[in-house]
Amino acid sequence: MAHMENISLSEAKALVSGALMAQGVSKEHSESVANALVAAEAEGQAGHGFSRLGDYVAQVRSGKINRDASIASRLTSQTAISTDADFGFAYPALDHAISQGISVARSYGTATMLIKNSHHAGALSVQVEKLAAEGLVGLMFANAPPAIAPWGAASPVFGTNPIAFAAPRRDARPLVIDLALSHVARGKVMHAKKTGQPIPPDWAFDKDGKPTTDPAAALAGSMAPAGGAKGTVLALMVEVLASVFTGANPSLGVASFFNAEGPSPGSGQFLIAMSPSNLVAFTDRLELVLTAIESLEGARLPGDRRANSISRAQAHGIAVPSQYLDLARELARANV
């Protein structure tokens, strides 16, 4: 087991942003990345947290991530925003698009946000919750490097292509749902590889299509789809929205998010923000549904564990493998 070290959220953000600024990434973009990675750690998604920092830095240094990215957005209609991430980090492009999307959705009832020439979007839950916190219903779709084979085939075509949803509640944290279309997020397999842990046998297949507990073999093979054939169909739907619609690379053309070799991924994200016509009535009706679920023995709401994890992190900080924190400290001391 990896040795863990506890750190406050503010210390964690300062450490990540400092490590990135030491590589020549702007303060604004470094802080955006830090906010996203630490938010992922806080909600219990370690595969999208500190474990990504070393990979990000290696890609900044190789030029796979454009450290000088100039984000540009334009309205293609009254309610559609197209954002070019300029092959930089996804997080500042998402900040840019979501900020505009909130304003547009409030004015017109809906907003679509299309992002191309992007990179790893991390925990999508972090992004859609920003919309719900503003009284909007949010949906997000993202594509990723090929990791899932079409049902009945052996070669990966689709990414894990996650989907996320969030809705505002009146007296509670927003309802947030975030799922990858693989049985588990690929980042969890990468995290297991980096920390020397085996994975459950139902998470992935090796290159020969056999179940494996070796994360390295899993990363060289394919992920098991969520829900069998239905998961691969959903992955195709996400592909259409996140790449075909946005103009981003399809998953087959998206280079790895994990290593410094190859071209920029150029992946895509697609978000929808919807403004309820009557927010009070909306939240009242939502509570009727959620209360009915909670009243059933053995049932729990999706996102409950996430919300509890965030509350603990805010009060007590986050536990991070020491190897990741040591690397971040070393990077923060380095020069470009």
Side-chain angles (χ1 to χ4, degrees):
M1 287 292 289
H3 179 265
M4 308 298 284
E5 185 175 336
N6 208 70
I7 186 171
S8 72
L9 297 183
S10 59
E11 289 172 324
K13 290 175 185 177
L15 189 55
V16 173
S17 61
L20 291 169
M21 284 190 287
Q23 316 309 312
V25 180
S26 72
K27 184 174 186 290
E28 177 189 357
H29 289 194
S30 295
E31 290 179 348
S32 176
V33 176
N35 288 339
L37 266 58
V38 174
E41 287 280 1
E43 65 179 48
Q45 294 206 52
H48 293 309
F50 266 86
S51 65
R52 297 283 179 161
L53 181 59
D55 299 324
Y56 285 175
V57 167
Q59 292 175 63
V60 167
R61 290 175 173 175
S62 73
K64 192 172 183 177
I65 294 176
N66 180 8
R67 80 180 79 198
D68 300 314
S70 179
I71 300 165
S73 292
R74 62 188 179 91
L75 282 169
T76 57
S77 74
Q78 284 184 322
T79 60
I81 301 155
S82 180
T83 299
D84 189 333
D86 194 24
F87 302 103
F89 286 105
Y91 307 114
L94 285 162
D95 290 344
H96 204 263
I98 288 171
S99 176
Q100 293 189 55
I102 289 169
S103 177
V104 168
R106 284 176 172 164
S107 296
Y108 297 102
T110 61
T112 56
M113 292 147 273
L114 293 66
I115 300 171
K116 65 179 181 179
N117 298 331
S118 193
H119 198 273
H120 174 242
L124 271 58
S125 51
V126 172
Q127 308 303 329
V128 292
E129 187 170 28
K130 296 174 185 176
L131 297 170
E134 298 293 332
L136 304 171
V137 176
L139 274 166
M140 183 174 176
F141 311 87
N143 76 335
I148 299 174
W151 194 249
S155 299
V157 171
F158 308 117
T160 53
N161 289 14
I163 299 172
F165 169 88
R169 299 178 67 182
R170 189 183 303 174
D171 299 313
R173 293 190 70 95
L175 172 68
V176 178
I177 300 169
D178 183 357
L179 63 153
L181 295 180
S182 53
H183 183 59
V184 298
R186 201 162 187 250
K188 291 185 177 181
V189 178
M190 176 57 76
H191 178 65
K193 178 177 180 290
K194 290 181 176 180
T195 54
Q197 302 175 61
I199 60 173
D202 60 347
W203 279 18
F205 307 101
D206 63 19
K207 60 183 177 62
D208 297 318
K210 298 178 180 179
T212 182
T213 59
D214 180 355
L219 291 168
S222 61
M223 301 294 295
K230 293 180 180 180
T232 60
V233 172
L234 284 170
L236 175 57
M237 292 168 58
V238 173
E239 192 69 58
V240 171
L241 291 171
S243 70
V244 178
F245 202 90
T246 63
N249 285 337
S251 287
L252 275 173
V254 175
S256 174
F257 292 150
F258 292 121
N259 61 54
E261 291 73 44
S264 297
S267 57
Q269 293 93 37
F270 180 89
L271 298 92
I272 305 172
M274 297 165 280
S275 179
S277 58
N278 184 322
L279 184 58
V280 172
F282 174 89
T283 54
D284 283 346
R285 290 194 296 270
L286 178 59
E287 289 310 309
L288 289 175
V289 175
L290 300 184
T291 300
I293 295 171
E294 290 180 306
S295 70
L296 299 175
E297 184 177 353
R300 66 177 181 85
L301 295 180
D304 274 356
R305 290 177 185 170
R306 173 181 180 271
N308 291 336
S309 180
I310 291 171
S311 294
R312 287 194 301 272
Q314 290 172 337
H316 306 294
I318 51 177
V320 180
S322 295
Q323 68 190 76
Y324 293 156
L325 294 178
D326 290 343
L327 175 61
R329 291 172 183 132
E330 179 182 345
L331 291 169
R333 292 191 295 267
N335 294 317
V336 179

